Amino acid sequence: MANRIISSMTHDAHMTVKDHIADGWVASLCIVPKGESEGKELINLDTVFEREDVAWETVETLARAELSSLK
């Protein structure tokens, strides 16, 4: 499992991609006010991805869209 964080002026997006036992890769996202630790309200993507890089690209795109909408 790997974690990444991207930030806007007011919020942080905590992204996680992990291997889901032979099924592929699953991704989740948690948006919190800037500086706070990852919360319990995760947005789990409903897709199992065949490749890790595709999972990262998708969750990062969603994170940037969510952060942009919070401005």
Side-chain angles (χ1 to χ4, degrees):
M1 178 171 69
N3 299 310
R4 294 182 189 168
I5 299 172
I6 57 175
S7 299
S8 71
M9 296 289 283
T10 60
H11 289 80
D12 293 329
H14 295 260
M15 303 171 291
T16 304
V17 170
K18 60 183 176 181
D19 192 1
H20 188 265
I21 312 172
D23 288 337
W25 298 87
V26 294
S28 61
L29 171 65
C30 182
I31 306 288
V32 297
K34 192 165 192 78
E36 289 189 18
S37 61
E38 186 175 346
K40 296 176 183 169
E41 296 183 32
L42 292 177
I43 300 170
N44 291 308
L45 280 64
D46 291 333
T47 303
V48 176
F49 300 92
E50 291 183 20
R51 296 184 0 223
E52 182 181 14
D53 62 329
V54 174
W56 277 117
E57 182 179 320
T58 303
V59 74
E60 184 173 339
T61 300
L62 176 60
R64 290 189 187 283
E66 292 288 330
L67 290 174
S68 178
S69 73
L70 293 171
K71 290 183 180 178

